[in-house]
Amino acid sequence: MSDLTLMLIKLAFLAVLWLFIIMAVGVIRTDLFGPATSKAKRGAARRSEPRRPKPAPQRGRRNEPRSLVVTKGPLAGTTLDLSSQPIIIGRAKDATLVITDDYASGRHARIFSDNGRWVVEDLGSTNGTYLGQNRLTRPQPLSVGQPIRIGKTVLELRK
Amino acid sequence: MSEALSTALPPVKRRNAELIMLLLAIAITLFAMIEAGLTRNDEMPAQLFLFGGLFGGLALLAHVFIRFFAPYADPLLLPLATLLNGLGIAMLWRLFEATGDTTNGSAQDQLILTAASMVGFAGIVFFLKEPRVLQRYPYIMALGAVILLLLPLIPGLGMTINGARQWVNLGVTSLQPSEFAKIALVTFLAGYMVTKRDVLSLVSKPVKIGPIKVLELPRMRDMAPMAVMWGFCIIVLVILMNDLGTSLLLFSTFLAMIYVATQRSSWIILGLSAFFGACTLLYPFVPHFRTRVVTWLDAFSPEVFCTDEIIANSTDAFCVTAGQNSQQLVQGLFALGEGGILGAGLGGGKPGHVPEVQNDFIFTAFGEELGLTGVMVMLMALALLAQRGMRIALASRELFIKMFASGISFLIAFQSFVVIGGVTRVIPMTGATIPFVAKGGSALLSSWIMLALLVRMSNNARKPAPVAIQDEGATQVITR
């Protein structure tokens, strides 16, 4: 085996080693920022439709909730369509969903979308927000059908 | 609060990414063997198919196993471990089989040990569905760790190899119980920190110089666990067993975990000063400890290196009286220097100059033959492994799992540092092994066990939360 061949094999081996590391970093990158789009595609997209907000990444998913429904309490039956905007629930006039409930605080809880997942957060209410049977102490991801209780009002996400 | 949210990992499986990375890792192993065979013996290795089939088959089996039993596990853990393990096997093959000398060990043995370790890996992933059950037995774990660490001291059972008393003779094979004690200790510390976190992190006594608050010291009584840990590491491990590596590893893991739990730097300052203070005080009195420091600091002096001239002419030179020299360290440094940027190519160097190159010093063999470029890949792989572990800790919801995952990843990272730091003369030589790479069954098995724990925890951290059962009457039930 000539020295040149061995030299080339050596360099090829080192290159493959680094290829592994670069691919590994690529996998981590996808974890952080979502799947990469190629430069050409991105450029084309920018040219044709500048500044259009990104379409919801997980549209068409089976478990994507579409509306927030009040199932119990004075407002039972009320339905709110979900958009990407956060929903504030409380007695305050400027809340998205104004509930007339003596046990609710002014700005009681917030429901918002975190990259396609819906999350409920208690905004420091007096009587607390309950997800299922547990009082929220920190934001919790929500799934379809899980009851959120605020005072006497019960809400849930529906498809 | 939004920080807590953004750290959660998206519930995706990514098993195909894992498969591709895994195939690449197996290919790299085989490529390494082919390169070594071609360079050394001018022919393709005869055992290529045996090794490729067995090692590749085992890794792929592990992958299929993860697909079924931990589908949401982090996609990088298995490929990174496979790469490191495969590189280790290829290097051992190059050191032993390719040179035709298998008296000190062989890559085939390592392959069999890898198979056994992967069985252990699969067993843990399969049986330990919820790692939090380990939280229930912190003190039993602590006792287990202490017993494992002390086993080599039992006369008749313990064995001293290369000056360190850290082996247990089981008749057919020998074991290094400290490798498993580390894991038991991390389990204990994770469980302990969960219960004592508030006390350890909140209660403090400010130390003031004039009006300025310099440091917040914990109360005396809260320092008891640290005192116990410190005493154990110093007295048992350094004085009785000459196992500096394990001592350093365990104590720093303890400090890292207490820091993760409390976020107070005063623990680290206290712990490090106690540890180094003890080391400085002990230095004149513990001969084997002094030997290690001298071979580290004065490695290049002829008296320590033991040149032929010194052996012939001098009877009171350091290396003669201490019975130890710095040849391994210095030859290792020369090997690293010889490697340069690109290395000599696998099979092209002379790693045999370094005594016992298959154990701690396998790093220098890589440095000589793959150069800085190749060694950086190995370091990157270890760093990524530790990074994935920390990521799991961030993404997990339970405190115990956070502590456990961060402890294990710190262990992997710090163990690599202790070994590579020792080999490159950054810190004194200790007696630890690079995870997954170096020869040795206990080290390999404990590395794969740690990997299994990480795989299981990452699966649980990423798994989408189960949909709650509909709560019909909104009766408030407080459960603790």
Side-chain angles (χ1 to χ4, degrees):
Chain A
M1 194 79 25
S2 75
D3 282 353
L4 182 67
T5 326
L6 288 178
M7 176 78 159
L8 288 178
I9 291 179
K10 180 178 100 178
L11 293 180
F13 183 67
L14 291 176
V16 175
L17 279 177
W18 275 102
L19 178 71
F20 181 90
I21 295 297
I22 289 166
M23 280 174 68
V25 174
V27 171
I28 296 178
R29 183 188 177 285
T30 323
D31 245 15
L32 289 176
F33 305 113
T37 47
S38 75
K39 239 180 201 163
K41 239 192 261 169
R42 240 184 303 168
R46 202 172 296 148
R47 235 172 295 128
S48 59
E49 33 195 356
R51 288 197 184 267
R52 220 190 86 173
K54 255 198 273 174
Q58 282 154 340
R59 178 171 297 164
R61 268 220 176 167
R62 262 189 304 140
N63 268 353
E64 172 90 331
R66 293 185 191 286
S67 55
L68 179 72
V69 178
V70 182
T71 53
K72 285 207 184 75
L75 284 178
T78 312
T79 305
L80 245 96
D81 287 333
L82 296 176
S83 62
S84 58
Q85 299 297 318
I87 295 175
I88 308 243
I89 305 163
R91 283 198 301 179
K93 290 278 185 294
D94 62 343
T96 326
L97 179 64
V98 184
I99 48 178
T100 45
D101 190 325
D102 291 343
Y103 294 95
S105 300
R107 293 162 68 82
H108 193 106
R110 189 162 72 110
I111 297 179
F112 60 98
S113 165
D114 176 49
N115 286 330
R117 283 188 320 161
W118 286 87
V119 176
V120 59
E121 181 184 13
D122 188 63
L123 298 172
S125 63
T126 315
N127 294 314
T129 306
Y130 290 82
L131 184 61
Q133 299 182 332
N134 303 317
R135 186 168 175 161
L136 285 181
T137 49
R138 61 195 174 105
Q140 291 264 357
L142 264 182
S143 48
V144 172
Q146 251 182 321
I148 311 157
R149 193 166 66 79
I150 292 168
K152 287 174 183 164
T153 308
V154 179
L155 309 129
E156 67 179 53
L157 292 180
R158 290 266 171 89
K159 270 184 255 183
Chain B
M1 270 296 150
S2 61
E3 279 168 61
L5 276 173
S6 60
T7 58
L9 288 165
V12 285
K13 294 186 176 171
R14 314 222 58 203
R15 289 275 74 82
N16 292 335
E18 179 182 85
L19 181 61
I20 292 170
M21 299 293 296
L22 192 69
L23 289 175
L24 188 59
I26 298 168
I28 287 176
T29 309
L30 298 184
F31 193 171
M33 282 180 68
I34 293 172
E35 189 190 348
L38 285 178
T39 314
R40 271 208 74 79
N41 306 333
D42 229 346
E43 58 180 23
M44 294 289 271
Q47 295 148 308
L48 187 66
F49 287 105
L50 171 78
F51 275 76
L54 259 176
F55 183 68
L58 280 169
L60 288 176
L61 269 181
H63 166 73
V64 172
F65 188 82
I66 289 184
R67 235 173 226 273
F68 278 104
F69 295 109
Y72 289 97
D74 192 288
L76 277 182
L77 294 171
L78 182 66
L80 286 169
T82 308
L83 177 79
L84 290 168
N85 200 336
L87 281 177
I89 289 181
M91 181 50 89
L92 289 173
W93 184 86
R94 176 255 171 277
L95 288 174
F96 299 123
E97 267 89 340
T99 52
D101 172 23
T102 51
T103 44
N104 283 328
S106 69
Q108 255 171 34
D109 290 354
Q110 182 81 348
L111 195 60
I112 295 165
L113 291 171
T114 306
S117 308
M118 282 188 180
V119 172
F121 167 82
I124 293 211
V125 172
F126 183 74
F127 287 110
L128 194 68
K129 289 275 190 269
E130 284 290 350
R132 67 162 170 254
V133 297
L134 297 173
Q135 189 181 0
R136 292 182 204 153
Y137 319 107
Y139 293 98
I140 295 179
M141 284 290 172
L143 191 69
V146 171
I147 291 176
L148 281 173
L149 283 171
L150 293 180
L151 267 187
L153 283 181
I154 301 172
L157 197 62
M159 292 196 313
T160 306
I161 296 181
N162 298 334
R165 196 173 175 89
Q166 44 174 264
W167 296 84
V168 163
N169 191 359
L170 293 179
V172 279
T173 177
S174 58
L175 262 182
Q176 208 176 344
S178 61
E179 294 283 345
F180 305 101
K182 297 181 303 202
I183 303 175
L185 192 84
V186 170
T187 320
F188 157 67
L189 287 174
Y192 179 81
M193 297 297 173
V194 170
T195 49
K196 292 285 156 65
R197 188 173 88 125
D198 291 345
V199 171
L200 294 177
S201 60
L202 297 179
V203 188
S204 69
K205 212 168 48 181
V207 175
K208 286 182 181 171
I209 298 182
I212 308 149
K213 195 170 73 179
V214 185
L215 200 63
E216 294 222 329
L217 283 182
R219 291 181 305 182
M220 282 314 264
R221 67 178 113 157
D222 295 334
M223 287 202 224
M226 185 148 98
V228 170
M229 192 69 204
W230 172 84
F232 189 79
C233 284
I234 292 291
I235 294 169
V236 177
L237 291 170
V238 176
I239 299 184
L240 293 177
M241 296 166 79
N242 190 17
D243 195 352
L244 197 61
T246 311
S247 168
L248 189 60
L249 198 59
L250 292 187
F251 195 68
S252 49
T253 306
F254 170 76
L255 287 185
M257 289 184 74
I258 207 170
Y259 180 68
V260 170
T262 63
Q263 303 181 1
R264 279 171 68 179
S265 47
S266 58
W267 283 111
I268 294 197
I269 296 170
L270 269 178
L272 285 184
S273 38
F275 191 77
F276 287 117
C279 285
T280 324
L281 279 180
L282 284 175
Y283 179 70
F285 305 111
V286 186
H288 52 240
F289 179 51
R290 197 167 60 229
T291 311
R292 293 210 174 203
V293 175
V294 172
T295 46
W296 167 56
L297 285 177
D298 295 331
F300 286 96
S301 108
E303 293 219 337
V304 179
F305 180 77
C306 245
T307 51
D308 295 341
E309 209 177 319
I310 292 284
I311 299 176
N313 299 329
S314 161
T315 50
D316 58 347
F318 172 82
C319 67
V320 182
T321 49
Q324 220 173 22
N325 56 46
S326 64
Q327 282 180 13
Q328 194 183 25
L329 181 59
V330 171
Q331 295 283 17
L333 288 175
F334 285 147
L336 286 175
E338 195 64 39
I341 300 282
L342 290 176
L346 275 168
K350 293 186 176 59
H353 280 309
V354 184
E356 294 276 328
V357 71
Q358 71 274 16
N359 295 329
D360 311 3
F361 274 73
I362 200 162
F363 184 78
T364 64
F366 279 106
E368 185 177 0
E369 307 216 315
L370 299 179
L372 182 68
T373 321
V375 158
M376 287 308 284
V377 168
M378 184 175 274
L379 292 181
M380 283 295 287
L382 288 165
L384 285 179
L385 205 55
Q387 189 266 347
R388 289 330 279 167
M390 290 293 182
R391 191 72 191 78
I392 295 164
L394 278 178
S396 296
R397 291 172 277 265
E398 291 161 57
L399 191 58
F400 175 76
I401 301 295
K402 276 179 190 293
M403 296 301 306
F404 199 26
S406 56
I408 288 182
S409 7
F410 182 83
L411 203 59
I412 293 176
F414 198 75
Q415 191 174 343
S416 317
F417 166 74
V418 166
V419 184
I420 296 170
V423 167
T424 50
R425 212 169 146 242
V426 175
I427 58 172
M429 266 279 299
T430 54
T433 49
I434 310 179
F436 295 106
V437 179
K439 176 176 159 294
S442 313
L444 205 55
L445 180 56
S446 74
S447 305
W448 278 99
I449 289 177
M450 291 195 273
L451 192 80
L453 292 169
L454 287 182
V455 162
R456 179 42 81 193
M457 286 189 277
S458 70
N459 177 64
N460 293 3
R462 233 184 233 256
K463 194 168 56 180
V467 179
I469 301 164
Q470 285 281 339
D471 181 15
E472 289 305 330
T475 318
Q476 182 185 347
V477 180
I478 295 171
T479 44
R480 281 259 169 211

